[in-house]
Amino acid sequence: MSRTTATVAASLPDHWEQLVTTALLGTDRRTPPGVAPGPQAPSDLLDAAAAATVRRRAGLCPARPAERLRPAPEDPRPPLPAAAARRLAALLADRPGASGGGRRGAAPDLMELLPQWLQAANARGYAAPPQALPALLDAARGRTDLRPAALRFAGPRALWLARLNPDWRFALRAAPGGGPSAPDLRDPQGIRRLWQEGLFAERVTLLTALRSCDAAAARALLEETWATERAEDRLMFLDSLRAGLAPDDETFLERALADRSRNVRETAAELLSALPASALAARMAVRAAACVAVDRTRDVPTIVVEAPHECDAVMERDGVVAKAPAGRGERSWWLGQLVEAAPLGTWPGRLGGRTPEEIVALPVADGWQGELHAAWCRAAVRQRDAAWSRALLGEPSAPEAGGPGAVSLAERARLLAALDAGERAAWVAGFIETHGLSEAFQLLGVCAVPWAPPLGRAVVDALNIARDAGSYPWSFSGVMGLAERCLDPSEASRLDALLAIPDEPEDAAPGAGSYWSEAFQRLVTTLRLRGAMLAELAPEEPAP
């Protein structure tokens, strides 16, 4: 650039500021240099501004070109069938009504079907259509429950888009390997560098991902820096060991029992008690067995309990919390923790060679039954012991609506999770046949989808009974919503007889018959829609 050009360019900003100031003040109060005052001044001002604009643009130096955006990565998975792609677009376009509550009408709730559609598409290994990615990311942004399945289906192109839009940055945090610095798990140097230099969230994601494919390597990585980690970080890192917990983790967890953080100690003790062969489990078994025995001198063999009289330092080191919550006695609090942490295999030998069913059926002296059975429930859940879970659940038709050890619906739901899917469905079906649907919602939530035929029939029959009895219909809306998502689509044809508006008993809720008809219509329509969705996701037959 010549000296003259540089001088002109340097003077342009000042000249432009003078024109702007004159325009703001008005030409009757001020005129810029080179413009004569008078009626022609406003027109001259605009001409001067136009000329200055041209000079400003002509005098700009070329900017440094931006780095060209890298193209989106390829997705090697097969594309969706055309009908399934259209269905996805319809599901993503559906939005909940702005009116909030009230009757939904007979139309299916498409957004509630999206999680099931995503699960089926992922099971078949399809790639997301590129044009659907923005709507898919928006849906996952608004619903955290959708994120794992949505991001898996969206694939690598979604992460490429997420780096360009701040609204979608959640995908970089939620998707394994989504962060820009996340290394290939086959790259030991990259793993070590991220572990030593990464942000906390990146390190947690790394440890969780590594744990799923190489548990020993993840544990070794954690051991290297354990002594220098903050207490709250140690707790989160320790929690990641739940995935793939194995006897090889015992040595590390035993050392964590001496951690300076109480929360870390308690978590380590909980993990060790889930390993029935661990040294801590053996110590807890000795303590618990000293508190529980069978008194054979009575007419009927009876379990007697002598709760601990103190909580010493060794017990505290093994994870027993000394201070009882408000409203709990200290001795019963300590007893529950000991029994919960003891291996369930301790009890048959300690209590006369009895099976879990026989042990649970024994009477318990002095009012200790609730505390003892509740602790056994927690142990069965922690150790995922099907035999004890079955015994504590009892027969689903029992008058007390659960086994003698089931202290709450939530506890029963957790016990059911230890059974296989078929047995779980059969137990819940028996429960519904005896006790109806009023307490079954929480139990239905742990059953595999689609529901097994006996469970589906039990739910539909119970809904039909409630309808014929003129029951208040809106109290069953939660179960009806579950049925829409969980009944086998093949059940739709069996429900056609329930679509008519029933005669309402005199004591029925006003409008109940119309509501029930509408709800069953929505159920049938939704089941048929789910059946169509699954058919659309089937691989397309090649043209002959």
Side-chain angles (χ1 to χ4, degrees), residues 288-355:
C291 299
V292 182
V294 172
D295 183 353
R296 296 179 177 83
T297 64
R298 306 190 184 203
D299 294 338
V300 177
T302 302
I303 293 178
V304 291
V305 174
E306 181 66 26
H309 289 272
E310 65 174 347
C311 180
D312 57 32
V314 181
M315 287 171 61
E316 288 193 62
R317 180 187 180 275
D318 282 348
V320 178
V321 179
K323 185 175 177 58
R328 288 287 302 273
E330 283 187 333
R331 296 183 64 198
S332 65
W333 172 244
W334 299 332
L335 173 74
Q337 293 179 79
L338 296 181
V339 174
E340 176 183 356
L344 289 164
T346 302
W347 303 111
R350 174 61 175 163
L351 302 178
R354 293 175 170 84
T355 65

Side-chain angles (χ1 to χ4, degrees), residues 5 100 153 256 265 288-289 520:
T5 305
F153 176 63
R265 295 195 301 271
F520 278 118

Side-chain angles (χ1 to χ4, degrees), residues 108 113 116 460 482-495 520-534:
L113 295 180
Q116 199 166 113
V460 172
L482 271 180
E484 292 172 18
R485 298 189 295 275
C486 303
L487 268 176
D488 194 306
S490 63
E491 294 286 318
S493 58
R494 199 170 68 85
L495 299 174
F520 278 118
Q521 178 66 58
R522 184 174 60 248
L523 175 58
V524 170
T525 304
T526 303
L527 291 179
R528 288 181 173 146
L529 178 57
R530 286 175 50 215
M533 282 169 32
L534 294 176

Side-chain angles (χ1 to χ4, degrees), residues 451-474:
W451 288 337
L455 177 57
R457 287 193 294 270
V459 171
V460 172
D461 290 345
L463 287 170
N464 192 22
I465 291 170
R467 181 192 70 156
D468 291 344
S471 300
Y472 191 67
W474 295 275

